[in-house]
């Protein structure tokens, strides 16, 4: 019963029309928490279900990210990186929209600390592109949209590493 209940919630949040340019917010339709923002959870936890059961929805979720590549490029640039870095919390514009509730109250910082620490988002979106391609076989999507996401995220990760002379290898700090 619990699995069916959760599947119901996933399916009611899904948008089957890629032209509508929508994703699934962190709380779905369950309330106003997170202000309806889209997190990486969509790609890492929800997209696999849709890629295997309703590839049209999975494609729509990835097109949402593709259409926000310009904002992801700007986000990377602001952090001193190349390519595209997707924000931790995204909305209509694709810009970072992390709210004040995620500020570091202990350290009394005035800005959300997520901007420099949430790089897994970019990796998760690239992984989701690969999952969708593998599970759907949609090579046309990959050639038109998915490859661009992978190229942009690879550029981000390449600019994110630094050489550690003591260890004689590249690292991500």
């Amino acid at each position: 019963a619990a699995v069916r209940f959760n599947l119901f919630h996933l399916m009611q949040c899904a948008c089957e029309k890629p032209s509508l340019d929508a994703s699934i917010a962190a709380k779905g339709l369950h309330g106003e928490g997170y202000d309806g923002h889209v997190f990486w959870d969509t790609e890492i936890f929800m997209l696999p279900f849709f890629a295997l059961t309703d590839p049209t929805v999975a494609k729509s979720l990835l097109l949402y990210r593709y259409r926000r590549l310009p904002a992801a490029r700007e986000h990377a640039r602001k952090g001193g990186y190349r390519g595209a870095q997707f924000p931790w919390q995204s909305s209509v514009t694709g810009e970072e929209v992390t709210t004040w509730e995620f500020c570091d109250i202990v350290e009394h910082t005035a800005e959300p600390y997520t901007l420099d620490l949430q790089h897994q988002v970019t990796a998760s979106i690239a992984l989701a592109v690969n999952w969708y391609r593998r599970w759907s076989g949609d090579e046309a999507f990959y050639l038109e949209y998915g490859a661009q996401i992978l190229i942009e995220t690879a550029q981000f990760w390449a600019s994110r590493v630094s050489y550690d002379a003591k260890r004689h290898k590249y690292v991500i700090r």
Side-chain angles (χ1 to χ4, degrees), residues 36-77:
H37 297 160
V38 176
F39 288 70
W40 64 287
D41 306 53
T42 304
E43 287 79 19
I44 204 74
F45 298 119
M46 297 179 217
L47 187 129
F49 168 76
F50 290 116
L52 294 168
T53 61
D54 192 344
T56 304
V57 171
K59 181 177 183 176
S60 178
L61 296 173
L62 292 173
L63 286 172
Y64 168 86
R65 294 298 190 169
Y66 175 81
R67 291 179 183 122
R68 281 144 186 86
L69 271 173
R73 287 184 198 110
E74 180 61 17
H75 187 56
R77 189 193 65 73

mmCIF file of all heavy atoms in Angstrom, residues 36-77:
data_model
loop_
_atom_site.group_PDB
_atom_site.id
_atom_site.type_symbol
_atom_site.label_atom_id
_atom_site.label_comp_id
_atom_site.label_asym_id
_atom_site.label_seq_id
_atom_site.Cartn_x
_atom_site.Cartn_y
_atom_site.Cartn_z
ATOM 1 N N GLY A 36 8.120 25.593 -3.958
ATOM 2 C CA GLY A 36 7.917 24.995 -5.272
ATOM 3 C C GLY A 36 9.186 24.865 -6.096
ATOM 4 O O GLY A 36 9.129 24.627 -7.298
ATOM 5 N N HIS A 37 10.345 25.001 -5.464
ATOM 6 C CA HIS A 37 11.610 24.923 -6.192
ATOM 7 C C HIS A 37 11.935 23.482 -6.579
ATOM 8 O O HIS A 37 11.521 22.538 -5.931
ATOM 9 C CB HIS A 37 12.752 25.492 -5.347
ATOM 10 C CG HIS A 37 12.568 26.944 -5.050
ATOM 11 N ND1 HIS A 37 13.219 27.555 -4.009
ATOM 12 C CD2 HIS A 37 11.813 27.902 -5.638
ATOM 13 C CE1 HIS A 37 12.876 28.840 -3.979
ATOM 14 N NE2 HIS A 37 12.020 29.061 -4.948
ATOM 15 N N VAL A 38 12.723 23.362 -7.624
ATOM 16 C CA VAL A 38 13.151 22.067 -8.138
ATOM 17 C C VAL A 38 14.564 21.800 -7.641
ATOM 18 O O VAL A 38 15.458 22.631 -7.815
ATOM 19 C CB VAL A 38 13.111 22.046 -9.683
ATOM 20 C CG1 VAL A 38 13.643 20.738 -10.219
ATOM 21 C CG2 VAL A 38 11.692 22.303 -10.171
ATOM 22 N N PHE A 39 14.759 20.657 -7.022
ATOM 23 C CA PHE A 39 16.057 20.239 -6.509
ATOM 24 C C PHE A 39 16.595 19.111 -7.385
ATOM 25 O O PHE A 39 15.897 18.574 -8.241
ATOM 26 C CB PHE A 39 15.929 19.709 -5.077
ATOM 27 C CG PHE A 39 15.674 20.759 -4.030
ATOM 28 C CD1 PHE A 39 14.460 21.414 -3.966
ATOM 29 C CD2 PHE A 39 16.646 21.065 -3.102
ATOM 30 C CE1 PHE A 39 14.217 22.363 -2.985
ATOM 31 C CE2 PHE A 39 16.410 22.020 -2.112
ATOM 32 C CZ PHE A 39 15.194 22.663 -2.056
ATOM 33 N N TRP A 40 17.799 18.668 -7.112
ATOM 34 C CA TRP A 40 18.408 17.555 -7.835
ATOM 35 C C TRP A 40 17.700 16.240 -7.552
ATOM 36 O O TRP A 40 17.869 15.267 -8.289
ATOM 37 C CB TRP A 40 19.887 17.462 -7.500
ATOM 38 C CG TRP A 40 20.177 17.146 -6.057
ATOM 39 C CD1 TRP A 40 20.031 17.990 -4.988
ATOM 40 C CD2 TRP A 40 20.633 15.921 -5.523
ATOM 41 N NE1 TRP A 40 20.377 17.361 -3.824
ATOM 42 C CE2 TRP A 40 20.755 16.076 -4.121
ATOM 43 C CE3 TRP A 40 20.960 14.688 -6.086
ATOM 44 C CZ2 TRP A 40 21.181 15.063 -3.288
ATOM 45 C CZ3 TRP A 40 21.395 13.684 -5.240
ATOM 46 C CH2 TRP A 40 21.497 13.869 -3.871
ATOM 47 N N ASP A 41 16.907 16.194 -6.513
ATOM 48 C CA ASP A 41 16.157 14.985 -6.165
ATOM 49 C C ASP A 41 15.305 14.509 -7.342
ATOM 50 O O ASP A 41 15.088 13.313 -7.522
ATOM 51 C CB ASP A 41 15.219 15.255 -4.982
ATOM 52 C CG ASP A 41 15.922 15.839 -3.784
ATOM 53 O OD1 ASP A 41 16.616 16.861 -3.960
ATOM 54 O OD2 ASP A 41 15.769 15.296 -2.689
ATOM 55 N N THR A 42 14.823 15.464 -8.123
ATOM 56 C CA THR A 42 13.977 15.105 -9.266
ATOM 57 C C THR A 42 14.721 14.169 -10.207
ATOM 58 O O THR A 42 14.205 13.130 -10.597
ATOM 59 C CB THR A 42 13.530 16.380 -10.011
ATOM 60 O OG1 THR A 42 12.865 17.243 -9.091
ATOM 61 C CG2 THR A 42 12.596 16.033 -11.158
ATOM 62 N N GLU A 43 15.939 14.542 -10.569
ATOM 63 C CA GLU A 43 16.699 13.717 -11.516
ATOM 64 C C GLU A 43 17.216 12.432 -10.882
ATOM 65 O O GLU A 43 17.233 11.385 -11.525
ATOM 66 C CB GLU A 43 17.873 14.517 -12.095
ATOM 67 C CG GLU A 43 17.457 15.581 -13.083
ATOM 68 C CD GLU A 43 16.924 16.848 -12.438
ATOM 69 O OE1 GLU A 43 17.182 17.097 -11.243
ATOM 70 O OE2 GLU A 43 16.231 17.605 -13.136
ATOM 71 N N ILE A 44 17.658 12.487 -9.648
ATOM 72 C CA ILE A 44 18.317 11.319 -9.059
ATOM 73 C C ILE A 44 17.319 10.303 -8.509
ATOM 74 O O ILE A 44 17.568 9.104 -8.527
ATOM 75 C CB ILE A 44 19.363 11.748 -7.997
ATOM 76 C CG1 ILE A 44 20.430 10.669 -7.825
ATOM 77 C CG2 ILE A 44 18.743 12.080 -6.679
ATOM 78 C CD1 ILE A 44 21.408 10.573 -8.933
ATOM 79 N N PHE A 45 16.177 10.769 -8.018
ATOM 80 C CA PHE A 45 15.215 9.851 -7.409
ATOM 81 C C PHE A 45 13.949 9.619 -8.236
ATOM 82 O O PHE A 45 13.409 8.522 -8.248
ATOM 83 C CB PHE A 45 14.803 10.358 -6.018
ATOM 84 C CG PHE A 45 15.947 10.430 -5.050
ATOM 85 C CD1 PHE A 45 16.317 11.634 -4.481
ATOM 86 C CD2 PHE A 45 16.669 9.298 -4.712
ATOM 87 C CE1 PHE A 45 17.375 11.713 -3.585
ATOM 88 C CE2 PHE A 45 17.729 9.353 -3.826
ATOM 89 C CZ PHE A 45 18.086 10.572 -3.263
ATOM 90 N N MET A 46 13.448 10.648 -8.902
ATOM 91 C CA MET A 46 12.186 10.511 -9.632
ATOM 92 C C MET A 46 12.374 10.108 -11.089
ATOM 93 O O MET A 46 11.608 9.321 -11.620
ATOM 94 C CB MET A 46 11.406 11.819 -9.553
ATOM 95 C CG MET A 46 11.005 12.204 -8.156
ATOM 96 S SD MET A 46 10.120 13.767 -8.174
ATOM 97 C CE MET A 46 10.733 14.501 -6.674
ATOM 98 N N LEU A 47 13.374 10.678 -11.743
ATOM 99 C CA LEU A 47 13.573 10.405 -13.162
ATOM 100 C C LEU A 47 13.748 8.920 -13.483
ATOM 101 O O LEU A 47 13.181 8.453 -14.471
ATOM 102 C CB LEU A 47 14.742 11.209 -13.717
ATOM 103 C CG LEU A 47 14.876 11.075 -15.231
ATOM 104 C CD1 LEU A 47 14.968 12.417 -15.888
ATOM 105 C CD2 LEU A 47 16.018 10.170 -15.601
ATOM 106 N N PRO A 48 14.470 8.141 -12.677
ATOM 107 C CA PRO A 48 14.589 6.713 -13.010
ATOM 108 C C PRO A 48 13.227 6.012 -13.109
ATOM 109 O O PRO A 48 13.009 5.217 -14.023
ATOM 110 C CB PRO A 48 15.426 6.143 -11.862
ATOM 111 C CG PRO A 48 16.253 7.297 -11.419
ATOM 112 C CD PRO A 48 15.343 8.491 -11.545
ATOM 113 N N PHE A 49 12.329 6.323 -12.194
ATOM 114 C CA PHE A 49 10.990 5.729 -12.256
ATOM 115 C C PHE A 49 10.317 6.075 -13.577
ATOM 116 O O PHE A 49 9.785 5.199 -14.270
ATOM 117 C CB PHE A 49 10.132 6.221 -11.079
ATOM 118 C CG PHE A 49 8.679 5.901 -11.232
ATOM 119 C CD1 PHE A 49 8.215 4.609 -11.022
ATOM 120 C CD2 PHE A 49 7.772 6.880 -11.593
ATOM 121 C CE1 PHE A 49 6.874 4.295 -11.176
ATOM 122 C CE2 PHE A 49 6.431 6.587 -11.752
ATOM 123 C CZ PHE A 49 5.976 5.293 -11.544
ATOM 124 N N PHE A 50 10.347 7.351 -13.950
ATOM 125 C CA PHE A 50 9.685 7.769 -15.180
ATOM 126 C C PHE A 50 10.414 7.263 -16.422
ATOM 127 O O PHE A 50 9.772 6.914 -17.414
ATOM 128 C CB PHE A 50 9.532 9.287 -15.215
ATOM 129 C CG PHE A 50 8.531 9.795 -14.227
ATOM 130 C CD1 PHE A 50 8.918 10.609 -13.182
ATOM 131 C CD2 PHE A 50 7.198 9.440 -14.328
ATOM 132 C CE1 PHE A 50 7.998 11.068 -12.260
ATOM 133 C CE2 PHE A 50 6.255 9.899 -13.408
ATOM 134 C CZ PHE A 50 6.656 10.707 -12.374
ATOM 135 N N ALA A 51 11.733 7.218 -16.389
ATOM 136 C CA ALA A 51 12.481 6.716 -17.547
ATOM 137 C C ALA A 51 12.105 5.270 -17.860
ATOM 138 O O ALA A 51 12.087 4.857 -19.017
ATOM 139 C CB ALA A 51 13.979 6.840 -17.314
ATOM 140 N N LEU A 52 11.784 4.524 -16.820
ATOM 141 C CA LEU A 52 11.433 3.110 -16.995
ATOM 142 C C LEU A 52 9.943 2.867 -17.206
ATOM 143 O O LEU A 52 9.554 1.827 -17.736
ATOM 144 C CB LEU A 52 11.925 2.302 -15.795
ATOM 145 C CG LEU A 52 13.443 2.241 -15.656
ATOM 146 C CD1 LEU A 52 13.844 1.687 -14.305
ATOM 147 C CD2 LEU A 52 14.056 1.429 -16.788
ATOM 148 N N THR A 53 9.098 3.806 -16.804
ATOM 149 C CA THR A 53 7.649 3.585 -16.910
ATOM 150 C C THR A 53 6.962 4.532 -17.882
ATOM 151 O O THR A 53 5.965 4.169 -18.490
ATOM 152 C CB THR A 53 6.960 3.738 -15.537
ATOM 153 O OG1 THR A 53 7.171 5.074 -15.058
ATOM 154 C CG2 THR A 53 7.494 2.719 -14.549
ATOM 155 N N ASP A 54 7.456 5.745 -18.012
ATOM 156 C CA ASP A 54 6.854 6.749 -18.891
ATOM 157 C C ASP A 54 7.947 7.683 -19.400
ATOM 158 O O ASP A 54 8.132 8.784 -18.882
ATOM 159 C CB ASP A 54 5.768 7.530 -18.149
ATOM 160 C CG ASP A 54 4.919 8.380 -19.087
ATOM 161 O OD1 ASP A 54 5.330 8.619 -20.238
ATOM 162 O OD2 ASP A 54 3.836 8.811 -18.648
ATOM 163 N N PRO A 55 8.692 7.247 -20.409
ATOM 164 C CA PRO A 55 9.829 8.034 -20.900
ATOM 165 C C PRO A 55 9.466 9.453 -21.339
ATOM 166 O O PRO A 55 10.316 10.341 -21.305
ATOM 167 C CB PRO A 55 10.355 7.217 -22.084
ATOM 168 C CG PRO A 55 9.899 5.825 -21.808
ATOM 169 C CD PRO A 55 8.579 5.960 -21.097
ATOM 170 N N THR A 56 8.219 9.690 -21.715
ATOM 171 C CA THR A 56 7.808 11.040 -22.098
ATOM 172 C C THR A 56 7.962 12.008 -20.937
ATOM 173 O O THR A 56 8.404 13.146 -21.109
ATOM 174 C CB THR A 56 6.348 11.040 -22.593
ATOM 175 O OG1 THR A 56 6.234 10.109 -23.659
ATOM 176 C CG2 THR A 56 5.927 12.406 -23.084
ATOM 177 N N VAL A 57 7.622 11.568 -19.741
ATOM 178 C CA VAL A 57 7.781 12.408 -18.551
ATOM 179 C C VAL A 57 9.267 12.619 -18.263
ATOM 180 O O VAL A 57 9.691 13.742 -17.979
ATOM 181 C CB VAL A 57 7.066 11.791 -17.332
ATOM 182 C CG1 VAL A 57 7.409 12.552 -16.055
ATOM 183 C CG2 VAL A 57 5.560 11.762 -17.556
ATOM 184 N N ALA A 58 10.061 11.565 -18.344
ATOM 185 C CA ALA A 58 11.501 11.685 -18.096
ATOM 186 C C ALA A 58 12.122 12.692 -19.072
ATOM 187 O O ALA A 58 12.932 13.538 -18.674
ATOM 188 C CB ALA A 58 12.176 10.325 -18.212
ATOM 189 N N LYS A 59 11.728 12.615 -20.314
ATOM 190 C CA LYS A 59 12.237 13.548 -21.322
ATOM 191 C C LYS A 59 11.844 14.983 -20.961
ATOM 192 O O LYS A 59 12.657 15.902 -21.061
ATOM 193 C CB LYS A 59 11.683 13.177 -22.689
ATOM 194 C CG LYS A 59 12.153 14.057 -23.820
ATOM 195 C CD LYS A 59 11.586 13.546 -25.134
ATOM 196 C CE LYS A 59 12.078 14.343 -26.301
ATOM 197 N NZ LYS A 59 11.604 13.778 -27.579
ATOM 198 N N SER A 60 10.629 15.158 -20.514
ATOM 199 C CA SER A 60 10.156 16.486 -20.116
ATOM 200 C C SER A 60 10.988 17.046 -18.969
ATOM 201 O O SER A 60 11.338 18.230 -18.959
ATOM 202 C CB SER A 60 8.680 16.401 -19.710
ATOM 203 O OG SER A 60 8.214 17.648 -19.282
ATOM 204 N N LEU A 61 11.319 16.198 -18.000
ATOM 205 C CA LEU A 61 12.132 16.636 -16.862
ATOM 206 C C LEU A 61 13.518 17.080 -17.321
ATOM 207 O O LEU A 61 14.064 18.072 -16.826
ATOM 208 C CB LEU A 61 12.248 15.523 -15.830
ATOM 209 C CG LEU A 61 10.945 15.096 -15.146
ATOM 210 C CD1 LEU A 61 11.180 13.868 -14.268
ATOM 211 C CD2 LEU A 61 10.349 16.233 -14.346
ATOM 212 N N LEU A 62 14.098 16.356 -18.262
ATOM 213 C CA LEU A 62 15.424 16.722 -18.759
ATOM 214 C C LEU A 62 15.379 17.966 -19.642
ATOM 215 O O LEU A 62 16.315 18.774 -19.638
ATOM 216 C CB LEU A 62 16.054 15.548 -19.495
ATOM 217 C CG LEU A 62 16.425 14.371 -18.601
ATOM 218 C CD1 LEU A 62 16.874 13.178 -19.435
ATOM 219 C CD2 LEU A 62 17.504 14.768 -17.603
ATOM 220 N N LEU A 63 14.303 18.142 -20.387
ATOM 221 C CA LEU A 63 14.168 19.358 -21.191
ATOM 222 C C LEU A 63 14.046 20.593 -20.307
ATOM 223 O O LEU A 63 14.510 21.672 -20.677
ATOM 224 C CB LEU A 63 12.971 19.250 -22.141
ATOM 225 C CG LEU A 63 13.194 18.331 -23.341
ATOM 226 C CD1 LEU A 63 11.895 18.122 -24.111
ATOM 227 C CD2 LEU A 63 14.279 18.889 -24.260
ATOM 228 N N TYR A 64 13.437 20.435 -19.156
ATOM 229 C CA TYR A 64 13.391 21.539 -18.188
ATOM 230 C C TYR A 64 14.816 22.001 -17.874
ATOM 231 O O TYR A 64 15.110 23.192 -17.858
ATOM 232 C CB TYR A 64 12.673 21.088 -16.907
ATOM 233 C CG TYR A 64 12.813 22.040 -15.752
ATOM 234 C CD1 TYR A 64 11.940 23.118 -15.613
ATOM 235 C CD2 TYR A 64 13.826 21.888 -14.807
ATOM 236 C CE1 TYR A 64 12.072 24.008 -14.555
ATOM 237 C CE2 TYR A 64 13.957 22.778 -13.748
ATOM 238 C CZ TYR A 64 13.085 23.835 -13.629
ATOM 239 O OH TYR A 64 13.224 24.711 -12.582
ATOM 240 N N ARG A 65 15.713 21.064 -17.626
ATOM 241 C CA ARG A 65 17.105 21.412 -17.319
ATOM 242 C C ARG A 65 17.820 21.967 -18.554
ATOM 243 O O ARG A 65 18.594 22.927 -18.462
ATOM 244 C CB ARG A 65 17.856 20.204 -16.777
ATOM 245 C CG ARG A 65 17.366 19.730 -15.436
ATOM 246 C CD ARG A 65 17.541 20.771 -14.353
ATOM 247 N NE ARG A 65 17.285 20.185 -13.037
ATOM 248 C CZ ARG A 65 17.563 20.772 -11.901
ATOM 249 N NH1 ARG A 65 18.087 21.978 -11.885
ATOM 250 N NH2 ARG A 65 17.311 20.170 -10.756
ATOM 251 N N TYR A 66 17.582 21.371 -19.714
ATOM 252 C CA TYR A 66 18.230 21.838 -20.938
ATOM 253 C C TYR A 66 17.896 23.309 -21.193
ATOM 254 O O TYR A 66 18.776 24.101 -21.532
ATOM 255 C CB TYR A 66 17.794 20.983 -22.133
ATOM 256 C CG TYR A 66 18.335 21.494 -23.433
ATOM 257 C CD1 TYR A 66 19.636 21.206 -23.824
ATOM 258 C CD2 TYR A 66 17.556 22.298 -24.260
ATOM 259 C CE1 TYR A 66 20.151 21.702 -25.012
ATOM 260 C CE2 TYR A 66 18.060 22.803 -25.445
ATOM 261 C CZ TYR A 66 19.353 22.505 -25.815
ATOM 262 O OH TYR A 66 19.862 23.007 -26.988
ATOM 263 N N ARG A 67 16.636 23.656 -21.006
ATOM 264 C CA ARG A 67 16.203 25.037 -21.263
ATOM 265 C C ARG A 67 16.800 26.016 -20.264
ATOM 266 O O ARG A 67 16.739 27.226 -20.475
ATOM 267 C CB ARG A 67 14.684 25.103 -21.242
ATOM 268 C CG ARG A 67 14.056 24.376 -22.424
ATOM 269 C CD ARG A 67 12.543 24.453 -22.358
ATOM 270 N NE ARG A 67 11.968 23.690 -23.455
ATOM 271 C CZ ARG A 67 11.121 22.682 -23.288
ATOM 272 N NH1 ARG A 67 10.733 22.314 -22.076
ATOM 273 N NH2 ARG A 67 10.645 22.038 -24.330
ATOM 274 N N ARG A 68 17.377 25.521 -19.204
ATOM 275 C CA ARG A 68 17.993 26.386 -18.204
ATOM 276 C C ARG A 68 19.521 26.366 -18.264
ATOM 277 O O ARG A 68 20.197 26.839 -17.354
ATOM 278 C CB ARG A 68 17.489 26.006 -16.811
ATOM 279 C CG ARG A 68 16.094 26.602 -16.619
ATOM 280 C CD ARG A 68 15.160 25.735 -15.824
ATOM 281 N NE ARG A 68 13.825 26.326 -15.832
ATOM 282 C CZ ARG A 68 12.928 26.110 -16.800
ATOM 283 N NH1 ARG A 68 13.217 25.345 -17.833
ATOM 284 N NH2 ARG A 68 11.734 26.678 -16.749
ATOM 285 N N LEU A 69 20.066 25.841 -19.349
ATOM 286 C CA LEU A 69 21.516 25.845 -19.520
ATOM 287 C C LEU A 69 22.118 27.251 -19.482
ATOM 288 O O LEU A 69 23.179 27.441 -18.877
ATOM 289 C CB LEU A 69 21.918 25.133 -20.811
ATOM 290 C CG LEU A 69 22.155 23.639 -20.713
ATOM 291 C CD1 LEU A 69 22.389 23.029 -22.092
ATOM 292 C CD2 LEU A 69 23.317 23.312 -19.792
ATOM 293 N N PRO A 70 21.490 28.255 -20.088
ATOM 294 C CA PRO A 70 22.087 29.600 -19.992
ATOM 295 C C PRO A 70 22.265 30.063 -18.541
ATOM 296 O O PRO A 70 23.311 30.618 -18.191
ATOM 297 C CB PRO A 70 21.100 30.493 -20.750
ATOM 298 C CG PRO A 70 20.463 29.561 -21.748
ATOM 299 C CD PRO A 70 20.333 28.248 -21.007
ATOM 300 N N ALA A 71 21.276 29.821 -17.697
ATOM 301 C CA ALA A 71 21.387 30.207 -16.284
ATOM 302 C C ALA A 71 22.446 29.352 -15.588
ATOM 303 O O ALA A 71 23.184 29.857 -14.731
ATOM 304 C CB ALA A 71 20.038 30.058 -15.582
ATOM 305 N N ALA A 72 22.557 28.082 -15.948
ATOM 306 C CA ALA A 72 23.569 27.205 -15.347
ATOM 307 C C ALA A 72 24.973 27.635 -15.770
ATOM 308 O O ALA A 72 25.916 27.570 -14.973
ATOM 309 C CB ALA A 72 23.314 25.752 -15.737
ATOM 310 N N ARG A 73 25.115 28.110 -16.998
ATOM 311 C CA ARG A 73 26.412 28.634 -17.444
ATOM 312 C C ARG A 73 26.791 29.877 -16.631
ATOM 313 O O ARG A 73 27.935 30.040 -16.217
ATOM 314 C CB ARG A 73 26.356 28.994 -18.931
ATOM 315 C CG ARG A 73 26.338 27.816 -19.849
ATOM 316 C CD ARG A 73 26.381 28.275 -21.313
ATOM 317 N NE ARG A 73 25.942 27.202 -22.163
ATOM 318 C CZ ARG A 73 24.794 27.181 -22.846
ATOM 319 N NH1 ARG A 73 23.975 28.212 -22.799
ATOM 320 N NH2 ARG A 73 24.473 26.150 -23.584
ATOM 321 N N GLU A 74 25.818 30.743 -16.424
ATOM 322 C CA GLU A 74 26.063 31.954 -15.648
ATOM 323 C C GLU A 74 26.395 31.612 -14.198
ATOM 324 O O GLU A 74 27.280 32.232 -13.593
ATOM 325 C CB GLU A 74 24.845 32.885 -15.718
ATOM 326 C CG GLU A 74 24.994 34.172 -14.940
ATOM 327 C CD GLU A 74 26.137 35.069 -15.412
ATOM 328 O OE1 GLU A 74 26.654 34.907 -16.539
ATOM 329 O OE2 GLU A 74 26.547 35.945 -14.618
ATOM 330 N N HIS A 75 25.729 30.631 -13.650
ATOM 331 C CA HIS A 75 25.987 30.190 -12.277
ATOM 332 C C HIS A 75 27.435 29.681 -12.152
ATOM 333 O O HIS A 75 28.126 30.011 -11.186
ATOM 334 C CB HIS A 75 24.987 29.097 -11.903
ATOM 335 C CG HIS A 75 25.022 28.670 -10.478
ATOM 336 N ND1 HIS A 75 24.870 29.538 -9.420
ATOM 337 C CD2 HIS A 75 25.184 27.449 -9.927
ATOM 338 C CE1 HIS A 75 24.940 28.879 -8.281
ATOM 339 N NE2 HIS A 75 25.138 27.600 -8.563
ATOM 340 N N ALA A 76 27.885 28.911 -13.126
ATOM 341 C CA ALA A 76 29.264 28.418 -13.128
ATOM 342 C C ALA A 76 30.243 29.585 -13.232
ATOM 343 O O ALA A 76 31.232 29.650 -12.496
ATOM 344 C CB ALA A 76 29.481 27.436 -14.272
ATOM 345 N N ARG A 77 29.949 30.488 -14.127
ATOM 346 C CA ARG A 77 30.836 31.638 -14.330
ATOM 347 C C ARG A 77 30.993 32.447 -13.041
ATOM 348 O O ARG A 77 32.098 32.834 -12.667
ATOM 349 C CB ARG A 77 30.301 32.530 -15.450
ATOM 350 C CG ARG A 77 31.274 33.634 -15.863
ATOM 351 C CD ARG A 77 30.619 34.690 -16.736
ATOM 352 N NE ARG A 77 29.585 35.437 -16.044
ATOM 353 C CZ ARG A 77 29.776 36.365 -15.089
ATOM 354 N NH1 ARG A 77 30.999 36.650 -14.693
ATOM 355 N NH2 ARG A 77 28.766 37.009 -14.533
#
